[in-house]
Amino acid sequence: MPPDFWFLLGVGTLIAFVLFALTWLFSLKLDNFSFVDVTWSNALAFLAPVYAWLGGGFTQRKVIAVTMALLWSLRLGTYLFFRVKRHHPHEDVRYEVLRQNWKARLARNFFFFFQAQAVLIVLLSVPVLLACLNPAPQLGIIEWIGFAVWLVGIGGEALSDAQMQRFKADPASKGKVCQVGLWRYSRHPNYFFESVVWWGFWLFACGSPWGWVTLYAPASILYFLLRVTGIPLTEECAVKSKGDAYREYQRTTSAFVPWLPKS
């Protein structure tokens, strides 16, 4: 690893721990733990500029890496902030379940849960950190490919979120399943393009020494989306709320990768 890697990783970890501790206090005050999602998404916007400021890498590479991090972080963080704000004081179903499981030691358990989220975002920030430490005076082809992949991902995710927002805003859509735009070809196009974003981050990092090691970042995101808090929980809630209409949507439409629907 580059000489400054562990120092910058420590700085990033300290910043993340403070951010999530403050979020924990804020969530206790409002009695709504969904705000951790907002901090998790926005945290990279705090870490990336610090990495660029303290890192000794090539300026153009740092600018691109920080721009990628900021756009992803602030777009998703803003989207989640307004979603959480709109539903407040109701929590996301994940935190309702945890609240029931941890009610004996609620504050303590959520504090450690929030700090675990801090560790996760620090680990996911390593591709950006390595890029900010790379002194090579020009960008390689793999970095440009990574940037292009990231661009497709961020554009697709923003488009799918906007299409869903418009669908929900239409009173005629109440109780119906969204099958407009990208949602006609995938039940979760936002998750698919979120995965694409992280493959873009990884490919960009591969242009730097040790960048290939961060393969765990897109692999972890993919695992969470497919097996943990992404598709499984979302689909369970959708079936409960929309019943047979959503089951038919499941039968005809790809779960993840956009594809032509079945007849």
Side-chain angles (χ1 to χ4, degrees):
M1 288 293 181
D4 295 338
F5 174 81
W6 296 109
F7 169 72
L8 286 180
L9 190 67
V11 171
T13 301
L14 179 60
I15 292 171
F17 281 167
V18 171
L19 281 175
F20 281 87
L22 293 174
T23 304
W24 173 73
L25 290 172
F26 182 72
S27 299
L28 286 176
K29 182 176 177 60
L30 293 183
D31 195 29
N32 187 337
F33 292 106
S34 293
F35 285 98
V36 69
D37 293 339
V38 180
T39 298
W40 189 87
S41 301
N42 280 311
L44 195 56
F46 288 87
L47 300 180
V50 173
Y51 295 157
W53 177 43
L54 297 176
F58 179 50
T59 299
Q60 184 182 2
R61 180 178 291 105
K62 291 196 293 185
V63 168
I64 294 175
V66 171
T67 299
M68 291 166 65
L70 287 176
L71 287 178
W72 172 82
S73 186
L74 296 177
R75 190 210 72 83
L76 183 59
T78 302
Y79 174 80
L80 291 175
F81 172 77
F82 284 108
R83 190 177 76 175
V84 172
K85 183 174 179 290
R86 185 168 60 250
H87 293 147
H88 180 71
H90 301 292
E91 286 178 316
D92 186 282
V93 64
R94 292 169 294 164
Y95 305 119
E96 291 178 352
V97 171
L98 291 177
R99 184 184 287 271
Q100 290 300 315
N101 293 341
W102 293 345
K103 55 186 174 183
R105 295 178 176 177
L106 187 72
R108 188 201 69 171
N109 286 343
F110 266 107
F111 176 80
F112 288 116
F113 175 79
F114 277 34
Q115 293 305 319
Q117 302 306 303
V119 172
L120 177 59
I121 196 63
V122 168
L123 291 174
L124 292 175
S125 74
V126 173
V128 177
L129 170 55
L130 290 175
C132 289
L133 290 172
N134 184 2
Q138 62 182 4
L139 273 71
I141 185 63
I142 191 66
E143 291 170 306
W144 288 116
I145 292 173
F147 177 70
V149 170
W150 173 88
L151 200 60
V152 170
I154 199 76
E157 188 175 14
L159 178 60
S160 58
D161 283 342
Q163 289 170 340
M164 178 58 80
Q165 287 288 85
R166 284 197 298 269
F167 178 82
K168 289 182 175 180
D170 185 354
S173 300
K174 188 174 182 180
K176 296 181 180 179
V177 177
C178 178
Q179 299 182 62
V180 297
L182 294 169
W183 299 85
R184 171 174 167 77
Y185 305 100
S186 169
R187 303 201 298 272
H188 304 281
N190 53 339
Y191 293 160
F192 171 76
F193 285 108
E194 173 71 1
S195 176
V196 172
V197 163
W198 285 95
W199 286 108
F201 274 123
W202 175 67
L203 286 170
F204 190 85
C206 283
S208 300
W210 294 97
W212 62 271
V213 173
T214 62
L215 177 63
Y216 67 81
S220 298
I221 292 293
L222 188 62
Y223 175 74
F224 284 123
L225 291 174
L226 294 180
R227 300 296 181 191
V228 187
T229 58
I231 290 177
L233 187 58
T234 302
E235 299 235 320
E236 181 182 346
C237 294
V239 169
K240 287 180 180 178
S241 63
K242 296 182 174 63
D244 289 340
Y246 198 82
R247 293 188 185 94
E248 177 63 12
Y249 184 50
Q250 288 176 312
R251 186 189 71 80
T252 60
T253 309
S254 170
F256 190 63
V257 179
W259 196 252
L260 294 175
K262 298 176 183 177
S263 60

